[in-house]
Amino acid sequence: MRIVIVGASSGLGKKTAEIFIKNGWKVTVCARRLDKLEELKKLSSNVSAEYLDVNSEDSAQKLSDILSKEGGADVYFHVAGVGCHNVEANLEKELKVIETNCLGFSRCIITAYNYFKQKNGGHIAAISSIAGTKGLGAAASYSASKAMNNIYLQALSQLSFFSKANIRFTDIKPGFVKTDLLDSKRNYPFLMTEEYAAKKIYKAIIKKKRKVVIDWKYAIITFFWRLIPDFIWERLKIDVSENKKI
C-alpha cells in the first residue's frame, strides 16, 4: 500500500507519516521544505520525498505526476494548511489563509479525485479542523476555509457515489495539538500531543472513517456548539484560533 502525504515537513503531517512508515507502508512525503523531509527518508527505504507547493499554479500537474509514480497511490492525505489569529482583521493575513486553505486545498483534492476516478477507486483523507463548525471571530478566514474543506469533501463524496468512482473520503477534524507552531503565549483547551493525535489520525484513515473529530472531548464541545443559535453565538467571545503553518 502506498500513501502520498502533502504537508509532511512538520507537525501532524510528519508525525502521521512516521506511523505509516513504521507500519510498512510505502510513503511519499511532499512539502515546500525538502530539507525537512530528510529525517523521514532515513526511516525506511520505502520513503520518497517530493517538492510540492500547493499554492503554485503547476501544483496540480506535479501532484498528478507524484500520485502516478511507483505503481500508483492507494491513499492521498492532505495536511498542508495555514492559520492565524487575526482580531485586527488584516487583509493580507486573510487572503494568505484563503489562498492556501481553499485554492491550494482544491487544487490538490480535485487532482487526487480525478486520479482515483481514472484508477477506479482510492481513498482521500484531509485535515480540516473543529474551527469549521462555527464562525470564529478571531479567525474568520481560517474557520470559513475549514468549513469549505468540510463541504468540499462532502460534495465530492456525493459525486463519487453517483459517478460510481469508488472513492472513499475521510474528513479529520482535530482540536488543539501541541506543536512548535502554536503560539506559546496562548492557552489552548484540552491540548493534545502530536503522537496522540497522529495515532488517532492513522486509525481513522486505516478504518476509512468518513468523519472524525479528534478527540472525544472536542467531539462533545462541537456537538454543543452546533446547538447554539446564531444570535447567541455571535455575542460570545470564543477564541480558539490556531497560529500554524504546515
Side-chain angles (χ1 to χ4, degrees), residues 5-10 13-14 17 21 28-43 47-52:
I5 304 175
V6 170
S9 60
S10 63
K14 181 179 181 181
I21 293 166
T28 299
V29 288
C30 308
R32 290 180 298 106
R33 298 173 293 177
L34 272 177
D35 58 306
K36 298 292 184 180
L37 302 177
E38 290 302 315
E39 186 177 337
L40 292 171
K41 287 179 66 177
K42 295 176 182 178
L43 296 178
V47 181
S48 58
E50 299 282 352
Y51 173 84
L52 186 71

Side-chain angles (χ1 to χ4, degrees), residues 102-228:
C102 294
L103 297 180
F105 179 90
S106 299
R107 284 192 189 98
C108 294
I109 296 296
I110 202 66
T111 297
Y113 178 89
N114 286 325
Y115 166 78
F116 286 128
K117 183 178 180 180
Q118 290 182 342
K119 192 183 175 184
N120 196 33
H123 184 189
I124 296 173
I127 296 284
S128 59
S129 173
I130 61 167
T133 308
K134 286 275 193 178
L136 305 172
S141 60
Y142 183 73
S143 54
S145 69
K146 293 305 177 180
M148 175 269 183
N149 294 167
N150 303 151
I151 298 300
Y152 197 79
L153 294 174
Q154 183 180 64
L156 287 183
S157 180
Q158 183 188 67
L159 182 62
S160 172
F161 178 80
F162 285 105
S163 301
K164 296 181 171 57
N166 193 30
I167 302 171
R168 302 290 294 273
F169 291 85
T170 299
D171 184 359
I172 302 164
K173 307 175 185 183
F176 292 110
V177 181
K178 186 177 181 180
T179 70
D180 293 337
L181 301 172
L182 284 180
D183 187 345
S184 60
K185 296 179 182 180
R186 296 186 178 279
N187 294 319
Y188 299 92
F190 308 119
L191 197 61
M192 298 176 285
T193 66
E194 283 184 351
E195 184 176 3
Y196 175 84
K199 287 180 178 178
K200 294 286 187 179
I201 291 169
Y202 173 78
K203 289 180 180 178
I205 294 175
I206 291 297
K207 294 180 179 180
K208 297 183 178 180
K209 290 186 176 181
R210 175 62 189 87
K211 299 178 183 179
V212 60
V213 176
I214 299 173
D215 65 355
W216 64 270
K217 295 182 288 295
Y218 290 105
I220 293 173
I221 290 171
T222 54
F223 171 80
F224 284 106
W225 279 3
R226 293 187 184 94
L227 300 179
I228 299 174

